[in-house]
Amino acid sequence: MFMLKSLFGKVWSDPNTNELAKLTAGELYIVRPRSSVKGARECIFQNAMATVRRTSQEFNYQLVITRVYEEGEEETLDEDDETDDELQLLIDTALAFRSGTFDGLPTIAFRDPDGDEDDLYEFVAGVGVNAPTMTFFETAVLKAMYERKHQKSSEKARDADLKKLMWNGRTPRRTSDATHGRPGPAPTPSARETAINVLSNQMANSHLTPAAATPAPQRGSASQSSAPTSRRDTEDEQLYGRTELSEDAELLWFDYEQDAFAVQGIYKINIVKSLQRQFNYFLVAEEDEYKVLAHELTPDLNCKWSKKFLSFRWNFQPENTPITAWCVRFHDEEVYDRFRYEVNRCLWETANAISWDKAKKEDTTYAAETYKDQDVEMVDVEGEEEEEEDEVAEALSEDSGEEEEEPQTGRVRPGKARLEYVDPNDSDASSVDEEENKFYEGRNEHNSGMVVGHRTDRTFVLRGGRIGVFKHAKPGEVGVKHDMTVNQVKTLKGKAFNPKKMMLHDQDGAMVLMNPGDPHNLYKMDLTVGKVVEEWKVHDDIPVSHIAPDSKFAQGTAQQTFVGTSSNGLFRIDPRISGNKLVGDQFKQYVTKAAFSGVATTEAGHLAVASEKGDIRLFDTIGKIAKTALPALGDPIIGVDVTASGRWIVATCKTHLYVIDTLIGGGRFEGKLGFERAFPADSRPTPKRLQLKPEHVMYMGSEPSFTPARFNTGPDVNETSIITSSGQYIVAWDFLKVKKGILDKYEIRKYEDAVVQDDFRFANDQDIVVALKNNVLMANKKELKKPTRKSLGGPQLRSRVPESSEIVNTGGY
């Protein structure tokens, strides 16, 4: 019932296997009536394991709970000491077997038919026991129960037959027993696991096997309910939540081997609101009232909508399990629209912790527009021709006989026109510059940041307290070579520190450094000598969290002032003034917590300031209120960049990017930018959402986690690309296509190590400087490939049928 039957084949059918299932860590409690003089809850075995054991009699099995001794504990017992270190019970329906949670941990509970009538045993699984293991164990108990009751093999037992053997609450219970077999105290809303774990132990999924496409069901109006469909409506609503929407839809799972979505069948797809935790929702698939899938609705699901296919796709990654890709497909547009609206409302509420109905109308309208379908392409004839040209070029490349370059897995020798691969075991590798080796050696540190020079054609890489300087190859060539290393950054007093962030300054001749241990000061390093030469006190009470040049290209000029932010303030910094360097009349501070998370400037000095709340403020100058405030969509913004003209912004969130056009398209200020004038409240720009396709994420092997995205840039350079990275991959979008509404055309490349940061060479849209955790290199954009199973080089995954851990939320529901 709870696991694919194929998982039991070898274990259950082998008569020589005595132990059929095991929970290797946990605690055993006995739960009594609260009125008992012995106490309501007593720990019997502090360390224990649970086993389903075969007996010598056919169709009879034991549930065994064994005390586990810690190292040296057993030897301390005297020979005459009595040690009741094992509880053995015949598996029978009289056990009143059930599952649940206690303090967020999964449990099984059962009675001893020969013990006190009101006592209940509860085994609380240890932290290391995951949901698939619990599911397997519970199913083993039910199969054993089935065989004893019917005196025949459980091999052909239906899921419904096994489910009937689970204790269903019809036997008398004490009022102190927790609902659905969870003895002891009732769950508290503060325990998040209570809200999301309680159903994971009763989800049937053995019937989810790939099948031929199933026709859409014949039905009238959409099925909507304000209460869950359940065997015990009142009890289930208290535990599992309230069904907000229920629709029939096709459920599909992405089959890695077949490189396609496989239809599983028609299911009832529900949106369920948890009653244990506010603004907590689940996507639940069920058949005949039994849950087969429950995934918590969070931004990490990497949700993607398609109006063209009336589909909703997402990723899900249980703990310690490969990531999976899922899809539900609806049979008509009305149902699709209703489901999309409800899911997006739930995601927005989860991210913002605000009721959709109580939020400002203009904010929810803005969110609804942003969350709409992502496959609408607004292309003209020229754009279509470009697409055709790309396809022809791609086909020619494939026919040329050249194989795709395999991801690099070793060291890279710097200093060549094209980076040359070097085997780490090759004796020639010793010729790599000793100075470069010193940059990488020791201290268990890794590269943590990077900035690209505007005037010096150098890249500066931060690694702990060291800064490595890498020289670019000549124009027209691709490569970097280690030039020098600043071995340890120190204050003027000689105190070493590891910079948090750095910014090139004063014609690339200096570096401004932020010390995480001293957020009120900034440090100027003279790059000609590699030492800190000035310390700047910004303000006694205002810490600096982010810095940026005064304008887009100011670092390559002699401009001395620059921009800083605190968590709720925006200000200009002038190192030339005496005392505190914050310019008093160019300071804007917000009373409420703004949680600023990034700042970027245009060539004209206009500013875009993003926040952890997900909102973006556009300023024409510092010291005044923002001209435009774009509402928060709820996803924290971790980085922001802007084109030189200020027309476009790219904001980076963990799993996606937002590209925003700041041009006011109508009304009194038509033709102005949002930096200069405020957008009308009813015509705010709709962000274009860039994200990876769920099936590509599955090939990559882990959920997206983007680094701050950047436009290619330079004076008199048109921005044509957006570059970012996630894990071992660099990802580039064609910005010209993005502007036309083509949002899912991107190219990608895998490296041997995680990418820390990447950026284009200055005034260049082809050469990409890449800082890996333990390497620095340069790639040409042509080396990026269209994402395919081969180019993504993902892990070799499963067989065609999804495992239980891929179907059921290991956190539960």
Side-chain angles (χ1 to χ4, degrees), residues 497-660:
F497 70 94
N498 295 350
K500 173 185 175 184
K501 295 178 182 177
M502 56 185 181
M503 181 188 75
L504 283 167
H505 184 60
D506 197 5
Q507 304 178 80
D508 286 356
M511 186 80 75
V512 180
L513 303 171
M514 297 177 61
N515 182 354
D518 187 7
H520 298 276
N521 284 339
L522 295 174
Y523 300 81
K524 177 185 176 181
M525 173 179 284
D526 185 338
L527 292 175
T528 61
V529 297
K531 293 182 179 181
V532 169
V533 294
E534 294 182 32
E535 293 184 13
W536 302 329
K537 168 74 74 166
V538 177
H539 197 278
D540 293 326
D541 303 317
I542 301 172
V544 180
S545 57
H546 300 277
I547 53 177
D550 241 12
S551 60
K552 188 74 174 177
F553 309 121
Q555 73 177 59
T557 71
Q559 178 70 33
Q560 293 300 303
T561 61
F562 54 96
V563 174
T565 71
S566 63
S567 63
N568 65 334
L570 174 65
F571 43 84
R572 198 175 308 280
I573 299 170
D574 189 345
R576 299 167 299 183
I577 62 178
S578 61
N580 291 344
K581 308 303 180 183
L582 187 149
V583 181
D585 61 353
Q586 297 187 56
F587 174 37
K588 173 62 180 176
Q589 186 166 8
Y590 290 83
V591 177
T592 57
K593 184 179 179 181
F596 291 147
S597 59
V599 57
T601 53
T602 71
E603 190 171 12
H606 297 155
L607 304 100
V609 183
S611 83
E612 295 173 4
K613 298 178 181 179
D615 56 8
I616 300 175
R617 292 175 171 87
L618 307 183
F619 298 84
D620 65 339
T621 188
I622 299 177
K624 299 179 180 179
I625 63 173
K627 291 294 184 181
T628 296
L630 301 177
L633 294 170
D635 303 315
I637 296 175
I638 61 175
V640 63
D641 194 19
V642 61
T643 58
S645 68
R647 170 74 185 270
W648 295 91
I649 295 171
V650 59
T652 307
C653 302
K654 180 184 176 183
T655 62
H656 53 273
L657 315 178
Y658 287 123
V659 176
I660 303 168

Side-chain angles (χ1 to χ4, degrees), residues 57-71:
Q57 187 174 350
E58 189 177 16
F59 306 131
N60 283 270
Y61 305 85
Q62 286 183 320
L63 175 61
V64 182
I65 311 296
T66 306
R67 179 180 178 183
V68 177
Y69 291 95
E70 296 182 358
E71 185 177 358

Side-chain angles (χ1 to χ4, degrees), residues 80-94:
D80 297 332
D81 287 347
E82 294 184 6
T83 59
D84 294 330
D85 55 4
E86 196 165 82
L87 173 66
Q88 300 179 1
L89 298 173
L90 182 66
I91 297 180
D92 187 272
T93 54

Side-chain angles (χ1 to χ4, degrees), residues 269-483:
I269 309 299
N270 303 327
I271 305 300
V272 178
K273 180 179 182 179
S274 169
L275 300 185
Q276 298 287 344
R277 183 167 173 253
Q278 196 174 22
F279 308 123
N280 188 209
Y281 299 91
F282 293 83
L283 175 67
V284 179
E286 67 176 13
E287 182 180 51
D288 299 329
E289 300 184 6
Y290 296 120
K291 279 67 178 172
V292 299
L293 174 149
H295 293 171
E296 187 178 9
L297 285 172
T298 71
D300 291 342
L301 290 184
N302 190 38
C303 303
K304 191 170 182 64
W305 299 96
S306 173
K307 187 86 166 186
K308 180 178 180 180
F309 297 104
L310 300 181
S311 68
F312 170 61
R313 289 176 288 164
W314 73 96
N315 290 115
F316 178 69
Q317 184 166 24
E319 186 178 359
N320 301 320
T321 306
I323 195 165
T324 53
W326 295 87
C327 175
V328 290
R329 189 163 55 196
F330 300 92
H331 59 278
D332 68 52
E333 189 172 323
E334 181 182 351
V335 173
Y336 167 83
D337 287 339
R338 184 162 53 240
F339 187 82
R340 181 193 60 191
Y341 176 86
E342 191 66 22
V343 168
N344 289 336
R345 179 188 67 81
C346 295
L347 288 170
W348 188 89
E349 287 192 358
T350 300
N352 290 278
I354 302 172
S355 169
W356 181 272
D357 296 332
K358 294 181 180 179
K360 295 179 181 178
K361 180 66 175 177
E362 56 266 30
D363 289 355
T364 56
T365 300
Y366 178 76
E369 284 296 308
T370 303
Y371 289 147
K372 69 181 182 181
D373 309 293
Q374 295 149 359
D375 58 359
V376 178
E377 298 182 4
M378 299 170 288
V379 297
D380 51 21
V381 175
E382 180 183 352
E384 292 175 356
E385 290 176 352
E386 287 178 5
E387 283 290 286
E388 292 175 0
E389 290 174 2
D390 288 347
E391 291 175 4
V392 171
E394 198 170 286
L396 290 174
S397 175
E398 291 173 356
D399 293 340
S400 65
E402 296 181 3
E403 295 185 0
E404 290 190 30
E405 183 179 353
E406 293 296 324
Q408 297 177 2
T409 56
R411 285 279 293 140
V412 173
R413 186 197 307 278
K416 301 291 183 181
R418 176 142 331 246
L419 294 178
E420 175 185 350
Y421 175 74
V422 179
D423 187 332
N425 299 315
D426 191 339
S427 59
D428 290 341
S430 61
S431 62
V432 175
D433 186 25
E434 292 183 6
E435 282 297 315
E436 183 185 15
N437 288 337
K438 290 180 180 179
F439 175 67
Y440 289 112
E441 69 184 5
R443 292 190 268 186
N444 295 319
E445 295 170 336
H446 59 78
N447 299 337
S448 59
M450 178 187 82
V451 292
V452 177
H454 286 193
R455 291 174 60 92
T456 58
D457 215 10
R458 300 287 196 278
T459 287
F460 301 82
V461 178
L462 187 61
R463 186 180 181 91
R466 288 168 285 182
I467 298 175
V469 183
F470 294 81
K471 183 178 181 180
H472 302 168
K474 296 178 182 179
E477 298 180 344
V478 180
V480 293
K481 179 180 180 180
H482 179 265
D483 192 29

